[in-house]
């Protein structure tokens, strides 16, 4: 009898669910998606979660056993309360996503984590960072996010928000004094920010896709915007690798494909921004799992509990996150 | 019968050893120090290590049992090879410190770690970060260093160099384009860098001690230099806390006492540089253990093995560091 995890992924624009077996295979017909949209009411979102969860569960193969549910969510999250407050869905602030899923799966474990950390889990389980103890998986898309594996285990941190690489600061890319948001990696390097920077320098397109086409045509401002993004991502990788002495960093997300050699550009930039020799040896590779990564990582929360954070100590800690 | 750890700390200017019991108490008369000095030959350094180790061991109380040795060293280190290459002692590059100590303690465990990580271990065992799962301990002195505890365990990383917070980049403090060293935290915020910055802005002293006196006199350039240091340290804490969702950061080192409210200034700067709410809740506190911290952390390598990194996986990993 096969055991399946219900995997749920709540992002800024969609919620998705699927059944995933212990080898990381998605059960046929079980991957179901619904739009959320920035204007959603909480009731609409609750209904959308219900729709995708029920749809996935309906595809449970004959003889298949449901082992539990894993949920990845756009952040910030609050693992103590079991709630999520996705930045791009302000109407959802404090949404009790875990209990919403738990109500449909009485008696089964339901585990929630930040979506970036789910991607890191997925790449460590089945993808580009497998077999190495210390890694970061990043997503460069409309925003910039990520997740960390240290000593072979997911790093969640005090509230579950470890991995927010998009909100660390990067040096030398301008920004406004006193505007703390302007020097973050995301503010410099995301697809959205790169389009905005290019437009501010005379380029006339409006999307990452158009920026990719302009780069393919050799348009110099578009190229400069993409190089700037890669330079900032590389510097953030250099800082993080210096701090954590990582083995490997995997880079995914739509904007990481804006030019064919984006990961090469990041690798070169990371080398340039690295001060100490050990950190220059980090492997920088493309992510392996594509759009299924958040679902596969959510499934790992059920199938690979040994990859989750070790037992926590201390009064400020989350006591239980099952 | 009491069990003691031989603790050894190799810094840029001195090597020190002591016997430490399982409660973190240094045995009477066992703390021995010798100068190293930037001009040391390797043979001189080897002799200095021998002197302090023999001196400490000679103080073993009657009935006391030696359990093993822990060594903290200025970095970078190479835990796979067991060697150290302190930045401030270039003549020592690749010095086989672990085997040097092991030769004097046949059959006993000898464990080596970066000094910054030893300080983090010590503060977690006996000091300012005890009881909390995720922490950073920093030293702001002639340089800037640190160490990380995640999930209650020391983070060493691939080669043992995790914790090098002084070599991450900080935004908005100038620096020269193309000079990768100029935007690191250490280049902006260390005592050495702060003195240099103040001199470049017309202040006429030459040391951190003189900078402290000028601050006490209300001299504006000295104050500006110290505020700049605290602002950079605060930003680096904001980035690191955002990335790891830390509970607490402890700040020690001589320059952290340059003004009485240095830690307050850092705390304010960290809040200003924090983008996401969860990271604003980090506790920022003075380190508790002072100059004994590296020795106490080295002793923890023997007495508190459960605080060391969990089992590692993967082909690029250090296989054994005992």
């Amino acid at each position: 009898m096969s055991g399946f995890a219900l995997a749920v992924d709540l992002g800024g624009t969609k919620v998705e669910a699927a059944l995933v077996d212990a080898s990381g295979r998605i059960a046929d017909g079980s991957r179901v998606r619904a739009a959320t949209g920035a204007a959603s009411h909480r009731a609409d979102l609750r209904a959308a979660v219900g729709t995708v969860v029920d749809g996935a569960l309906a595809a449970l193969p004959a003889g298949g056993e449901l082992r539990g549910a894993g949920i990845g969510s756009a952040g910030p999250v609050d693992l103590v309360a079991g709630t999520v407050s996705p930045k791009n869905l302000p109407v959802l602030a404090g949404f009790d996503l875990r209990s919403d899923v738990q109500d449909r799966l009485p008696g089964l474990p339901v585990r929630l984590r930040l979506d970036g950390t789910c991607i890191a889990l997925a790449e460590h389980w089945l993808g580009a960072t497998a077999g190495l103890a210390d890694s970061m998986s990043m997503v460069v898309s409309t925003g910039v996010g990520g997740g960390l594996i240290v000593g072979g285990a997911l790093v969640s941190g005090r509230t579950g928000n470890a991995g927010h690489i998009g909100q660390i600061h990067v040096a030398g890319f301008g920004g406004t004094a006193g505007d703390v948001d302007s020097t973050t990696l995301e503010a410099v390097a995301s697809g959205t920010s790169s389009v905005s920077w290019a437009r501010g320098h005379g380029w006339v397109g409006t999307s990452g896709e158009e920026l990719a086409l302009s780069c393919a045509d050799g348009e110099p401002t578009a190229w400069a915007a993409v190089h700037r993004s890669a330079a900032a991502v590389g510097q953030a990788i250099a800082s993080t690798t210096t701090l954590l002495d990582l083995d490997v960093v995997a880079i995914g997300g739509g904007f990481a494909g804006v030019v064919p050699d984006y990961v090469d550009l990041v690798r070169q930039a990371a080398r340039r921004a690295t001060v100490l020799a050990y950190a220059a040896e980090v492997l920088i590779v493309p992510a392996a799992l594509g759009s299924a990564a958040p679902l596969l990582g959510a499934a790992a929360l059920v199938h690979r509990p040994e990859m989750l954070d070790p037992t926590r100590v201390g009064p400020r800690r989350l006591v239980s996150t099952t």
Side-chain angles (χ1 to χ4, degrees), chain A:
Chain A
M1 193 167 66
S2 298
F4 288 89
L6 172 68
V8 180
D9 175 44
L10 174 63
T13 59
K14 60 161 178 49
V15 57
E16 219 178 351
L19 296 175
V20 180
D21 73 14
S23 68
R25 208 184 58 83
I26 294 178
D28 290 344
S30 74
R31 189 170 175 181
V32 184
R33 169 189 294 215
T36 53
S40 280
H41 294 282
R42 292 169 85 92
D44 296 341
L45 201 280
R46 206 177 291 272
V49 170
T51 299
V52 300
V53 165
D54 292 344
L57 290 176
L60 187 68
E65 183 201 3
L66 193 63
R67 296 272 165 83
I71 309 167
S73 175
V77 299
D78 181 342
L79 292 193
V80 181
T83 57
V84 305
S85 304
K87 251 193 320 182
N88 296 333
L89 293 170
V91 70
L92 280 191
F95 183 63
D96 52 343
L97 182 58
R98 191 170 65 206
S99 66
D100 217 54
V101 174
Q102 182 75 72
D103 288 348
R104 291 163 187 275
L105 274 70
L108 290 178
V110 177
R111 299 193 178 102
L112 169 68
R113 289 291 188 282
L114 185 68
D115 54 359
T117 66
C118 285
I119 290 168
L121 261 185
E123 294 288 345
H124 186 57
W125 179 23
L126 301 161
T129 68
L132 297 171
D134 299 313
S135 62
M136 176 164 64
S137 293
M138 295 182 69
V139 175
V140 184
S141 180
T142 50
V144 176
L148 293 160
I149 303 282
V150 167
L154 186 64
V155 177
S156 287
R158 183 174 65 86
T159 64
N161 285 297
H164 267 106
I165 182 80
Q167 281 70 41
I168 79 166
H169 296 281
V170 288
F173 296 94
T176 310
D179 175 7
V180 66
D181 287 313
S182 66
T183 55
T184 66
L185 175 60
E186 184 169 280
V188 174
S190 72
T192 313
S193 302
S194 298
V195 165
S196 171
W197 185 91
R199 288 175 57 83
H201 288 74
W203 178 75
V204 294
T206 57
S207 71
E209 290 73 16
E210 289 175 275
L211 203 64
L213 292 172
S214 291
C215 285
D217 288 343
E219 200 284 309
T221 306
W223 263 104
V226 168
H227 275 74
R228 181 173 181 270
S229 168
V233 170
Q235 184 192 111
I237 289 173
S239 285
T240 303
T241 299
T242 297
L243 190 65
L244 294 170
D245 198 358
L246 300 174
D247 294 288
V248 57
V249 176
I251 303 175
F255 198 69
V258 64
V259 294
D261 60 346
Y262 186 83
V263 173
D264 286 334
L265 296 175
V266 168
R267 200 179 286 128
Q268 292 161 24
R271 297 287 178 274
R272 284 197 305 274
T274 297
V275 179
L276 297 173
Y278 70 87
E281 295 164 16
V282 65
L283 303 172
I284 299 176
V285 299
L289 299 177
S291 73
L295 287 172
L296 296 174
L301 297 174
V302 175
H303 288 308
R304 300 301 300 269
E306 77 282 6
M307 287 183 180
L308 304 188
D309 345 50
T311 310
R312 301 295 185 153
V313 295
R316 298 181 81 217
R317 297 300 322 165
L318 54 105
V319 179
S320 166
T321 58
T322 56

